[in-house]
Amino acid sequence: MKINALKFTSIALIAATTLYSCNSSNDTTESTEFDDHHTAQNSLDWQGTYSGNLPCADCDAIETDLTLTDDMNYILISKYLGQAEILTDTLEGKFTWEGNHVKLDGIKDKERSSLYKVEENQVRQLDMKGEQITGDLASHYVMKKNGNLNVEDKKWQLVELNGKEIKSAPQTHYIIFHSKEGRLEAKADCNVILNNYKIKNELQVAIEPGITTLMACPDDLENDFIEVMKTVDNISTDGKTLSLNKARMAPLAKFILVDE
């Protein structure tokens, strides 16, 4: 009886080990299948506008903006630089996903590439066959996502304008870059100022003429601030301070981050 009991125990142990091995194998398979579905479409924050200057055979460069939206629509704006007359064309339509690539519908074969590889905060234009372009010009086919997470959707208090210290408060002297709307909201004492803006390559900024409320202001500070916003072309920040600049000149306006 002791021998039979020993045999039974051994058989049960082998069966349990086999069952565990099968379950472990199944777990590995399921994990592998899950990893296979980890794509740019479901793992990256890909919605937005991407900008860059793409190589051009008969012009200086093609200034390009590609916007991809949640509902699978795109807008592709191409501006051909360096010609006697700068030409601009705009294409709009649907796009589809092919793995980690997007394909823009409505582009004729051999007219231009319709394929872009989606990467972290950038897209890379591929060649006509869907292959990555290599060589000295490879980096020129990369388009960076517009915006700057360190600057946008935060409140910045104005503390200096044209080299002069400003006595201010966060409620009356501030600037906010609203990323979803592409809209700048600002105030320099009395009126609320609203402008559309675009941030490219994280530091290049373009602020369009905007509108303000119509309260009478006690001094020229607001007008001076509006003139500065018309002039600036880049920003700089260390996460706690923000400067609006023109080229490499001294900062035209300085701000500090408002902790809210």
Side-chain angles (χ1 to χ4, degrees), residues 11-115:
I11 291 170
L13 181 60
I14 293 171
T17 303
T18 303
L19 180 61
Y20 175 78
S21 298
C22 291
N23 288 339
S24 297
S25 176
N26 289 339
D27 289 344
T28 302
T29 301
E30 291 175 2
S31 177
T32 301
E33 289 177 354
F34 176 80
D35 289 340
D36 288 343
H37 290 84
H38 190 73
T39 64
Q41 182 180 5
N42 59 35
S43 63
L44 297 180
D45 183 20
W46 52 266
Q47 303 89 338
T49 299
Y50 301 82
S51 300
N53 289 342
L54 304 183
C56 177
D58 54 4
C59 67
D60 290 348
I62 306 173
E63 184 178 291
T64 307
D65 292 315
L66 172 63
T67 300
L68 303 175
T69 64
D70 286 328
D71 55 359
M72 304 301 180
N73 284 298
Y74 78 86
I75 302 175
L76 180 65
I77 302 174
S78 303
K79 183 182 294 186
Y80 298 83
L81 306 178
Q83 298 178 329
E85 180 180 354
I86 296 179
L87 301 177
T88 302
D89 69 65
T90 302
L91 296 175
E92 300 184 43
K94 291 286 187 178
F95 70 87
T96 54
W97 282 92
E98 297 182 357
N100 291 327
H101 303 165
V102 293
K103 178 178 174 60
L104 309 185
D105 297 337
I107 295 180
K108 297 178 180 178
D109 290 341
K110 299 182 179 180
E111 180 181 273
R112 68 175 80 181
S113 176
S114 61
L115 291 167

Side-chain angles (χ1 to χ4, degrees), residues 74-193:
Y74 78 86
I75 302 175
L76 180 65
I77 302 174
S78 303
K79 183 182 294 186
Y80 298 83
L81 306 178
Q83 298 178 329
E85 180 180 354
I86 296 179
L87 301 177
T88 302
D89 69 65
T90 302
L91 296 175
E92 300 184 43
K94 291 286 187 178
F95 70 87
T96 54
W97 282 92
E98 297 182 357
N100 291 327
H101 303 165
V102 293
K103 178 178 174 60
L104 309 185
D105 297 337
I107 295 180
K108 297 178 180 178
D109 290 341
K110 299 182 179 180
E111 180 181 273
R112 68 175 80 181
S113 176
S114 61
L115 291 167
Y116 294 81
K117 182 181 179 183
V118 179
E119 301 173 346
E120 184 73 32
N121 291 321
Q122 64 183 33
V123 296
R124 184 184 303 270
Q125 188 182 47
L126 304 175
D127 66 15
M128 298 286 192
K129 297 180 180 179
E131 301 291 335
Q132 187 167 316
I133 298 168
T134 58
D136 294 340
L137 294 177
S139 62
H140 293 268
Y141 289 91
V142 174
M143 301 165 60
K144 298 289 186 179
K145 191 175 185 180
N146 288 356
N148 188 320
L149 296 177
N150 293 320
V151 171
E152 294 173 294
D153 303 314
K154 300 178 180 182
K155 192 171 191 177
W156 300 90
Q157 179 183 345
L158 178 66
V159 294
E160 183 180 304
L161 187 67
N162 293 322
K164 298 180 181 179
E165 182 180 354
I166 303 297
K167 294 181 179 180
S168 63
Q171 299 79 19
T172 56
H173 299 75
Y174 67 85
I175 192 169
I176 305 172
F177 294 89
H178 297 284
S179 63
K180 290 184 178 180
E181 300 89 352
R183 177 174 52 81
L184 176 156
E185 174 191 343
K187 197 172 184 181
D189 195 16
C190 48
N191 288 296
V192 175
I193 305 165

